Amino acid sequence: MKLSKKVIAAVMAAMMLFSLTACGGNSSTPASSTDDAAPAADTSNDEAAVVDEAADDAEQAAQEAADSAAAAVGEGGNIGVCIYKFDDAFMTTYRNALQEILEGKGYTVTFMDGKNDQAEQNNQINNFIAQGVDALIINPVMTSAADQIIATVKDAGVPTVLINREPTAEQMSAYDKLVYVGCDARQSGTMQGELILDTVNKGDINGDGKVSYIMIQGDPENIDAQYRTEFSVKALTDAGIEVEELDLQRGDWDRNKGQEIAQNDLAKFGDEIEVVFCNNDDMAIGALQAIQAAGRTVNEDIYLVGVDALDAALNEVANGNMTGTVLNDAKGQAEGAVAAMEELLGGKTYASGEQSIYVDYVKVTPDNVTDFQ
């Protein structure tokens, strides 16, 4: 816990009071020079009592200053949270969960919108450090900026939790007061593939012996997008299914871009498209709009899967308009992030190779969707 300058000054003043009083106890008054003066009284016991009383006062003042310091930062302290952009649907859910948990525990928390601009977020991190926050929770704009972010928080000695976008283990090993809390995106990709394998024809709607798909990817620089893209298809090939990639386009996690990509691909490839893989639900909902506009029917002549289990996507799964999604547990990750932050504030350090904490994904289908609504 960091003490404010005002509190530190109070503690120092109390200690100076104690020091000066103790030194004053050694002074004495010169004896009278007259021959018939009465013998000087022994005042050593009185002076000792004064010193003891002053020491007690100084100790009490120091304790009051320490108590004031604790009160100044609340139960847990001042926390800075950097989100890559506020208008991301999943990160809005995550941010709300973080705010509820942190404020419920008595923390003072400030959220900053990175506006999908890494330079902007770097400035926000530096400002938080200059303000003397006790800990940082950072959702990086760019995974490739991890080295710079880690170097910055390490130089400042600020305990830091990274969320949602995972650096490499080697990058994180540079700082032992750093931890990542999130999900293993390979698992989410695998589950997307399993959702297709669980359909009656394993995704091969036209019966030509292969699954022809389009992939609407988030940000190809993002490790989650990379793993979801790779492992959704790998689940099919590992099961012995032949696949054909008709198109792979970057959708930047955005609903409108998902709609645009799906619309263009449906116009180009038509009935050849049997499966639409989307790296997140927002893009999947955009793709659904294009599918419906093209006169196609999900779960009859085309399959559609996403990731996150947003409320809107859960409704579409329940209504039969999405084949399924994968729960990206925002609340569970928020709880894990705060728990890890509190351990760091308590002095815990993390060894290399032990700095990633994962929360499991869950497949969501029409059979279990009500469990999540």
Side-chain angles (χ1 to χ4, degrees):
M1 180 180 297
K2 296 182 179 178
L3 305 184
S4 68
K5 292 180 180 178
K6 184 181 294 186
V7 171
I8 292 172
V11 174
M12 292 181 67
M15 297 306 295
M16 289 175 66
L17 172 64
F18 171 76
S19 176
L20 291 172
T21 306
C23 291
N26 292 328
S27 63
S28 59
T29 304
S32 171
S33 59
T34 58
D35 293 337
D36 57 353
D42 184 2
T43 62
S44 60
N45 289 337
D46 291 339
E47 290 175 346
V50 171
V51 171
D52 288 343
E53 182 177 354
D56 289 342
D57 289 343
E59 182 178 356
Q60 181 178 354
Q63 182 60 52
E64 289 175 353
D67 291 343
S68 176
V73 294
E75 283 186 40
N78 296 307
I79 311 301
V81 182
C82 296
I83 302 298
Y84 95 100
K85 66 173 184 175
F86 276 6
D87 61 359
D88 179 285
F90 174 72
M91 288 313 302
T92 297
T93 302
Y94 200 142
R95 173 163 49 94
N96 291 339
L98 274 175
Q99 184 169 7
E100 180 180 355
I101 296 167
L102 287 167
E103 291 182 351
K105 287 176 169 285
Y107 292 97
T108 299
V109 56
T110 303
F111 289 85
M112 296 301 296
D113 181 1
K115 301 176 183 176
N116 207 24
D117 182 335
Q118 188 60 61
E120 174 79 10
Q121 187 176 77
N122 291 344
N123 289 334
Q124 293 167 356
I125 293 169
N126 288 328
N127 288 339
F128 273 139
I129 291 172
Q131 293 164 15
V133 295
D134 294 278
L136 286 166
I137 298 175
I138 302 173
N139 163 216
V141 172
M142 299 172 61
T143 309
S144 59
D147 286 325
Q148 180 179 356
I149 292 172
I150 293 168
T152 299
V153 298
K154 179 182 179 181
D155 287 346
V158 179
T160 300
V161 180
L162 299 178
I163 60 172
N164 190 245
R165 296 179 174 183
E166 183 179 9
T168 66
E170 182 180 1
Q171 288 173 315
M172 289 192 292
S173 68
Y175 185 35
D176 62 2
K177 293 181 182 179
L178 176 78
V179 64
Y180 170 79
V181 176
C183 296
D184 184 348
R186 288 167 289 201
Q187 185 185 46
S188 63
T190 298
M191 288 182 174
Q192 281 191 304
E194 290 173 349
L195 288 169
I196 301 304
L197 290 172
D198 289 341
T199 62
V200 293
N201 45 30
K202 301 185 183 301
D204 183 14
I205 292 173
N206 60 21
D208 65 354
K210 62 184 177 183
V211 173
S212 301
Y213 69 91
I214 64 169
M215 179 72 66
I216 304 179
Q217 192 175 38
D219 174 1
E221 189 268 342
N222 183 285
I223 192 65
D224 282 9
Q226 295 170 16
Y227 281 153
R228 289 174 188 174
T229 298
E230 175 186 355
F231 281 82
S232 56
V233 178
K234 186 175 185 296
L236 298 181
T237 57
D238 284 352
I241 303 297
E242 182 181 346
V243 299
E244 177 186 21
E245 180 183 277
L246 297 174
D247 194 21
L248 186 156
Q249 291 286 329
R250 171 179 182 157
D252 287 324
W253 315 108
D254 183 77
R255 182 176 301 190
N256 290 333
K257 289 185 179 180
Q259 189 274 340
E260 180 182 352
I261 292 167
Q263 177 180 296
N264 291 338
D265 281 350
L266 285 163
K268 181 178 181 179
F269 299 106
D271 292 344
E272 291 182 63
I273 302 174
E274 296 171 295
V275 176
V276 179
F277 285 110
C278 296
N279 281 175
N280 77 340
D281 279 346
D282 232 19
M283 295 187 299
I285 292 169
L288 174 60
Q289 294 169 348
I291 289 169
Q292 292 175 330
R296 303 285 292 273
T297 303
V298 173
N299 294 329
E300 291 184 15
D301 58 22
I302 194 168
Y303 294 118
L304 172 65
V305 292
V307 176
D308 283 339
L310 299 178
D311 288 343
L314 293 176
N315 290 336
E316 299 298 355
V317 172
N319 293 329
N321 296 323
M322 283 181 62
T323 307
T325 185
V326 180
L327 173 67
N328 193 4
D329 188 356
K331 183 178 180 181
Q333 290 178 68
E335 290 171 347
V338 173
M341 181 200 74
E342 290 184 319
E343 289 187 330
L344 290 170
L345 286 171
K348 180 174 180 177
T349 56
Y350 284 83
S352 176
E354 299 177 356
Q355 292 171 278
S356 290
I357 300 171
Y358 294 124
V359 177
D360 280 337
Y361 286 100
V362 181
K363 279 190 290 186
V364 181
T365 70
D367 293 334
N368 67 357
V369 65
T370 56
D371 296 340
F372 305 98
Q373 288 180 305

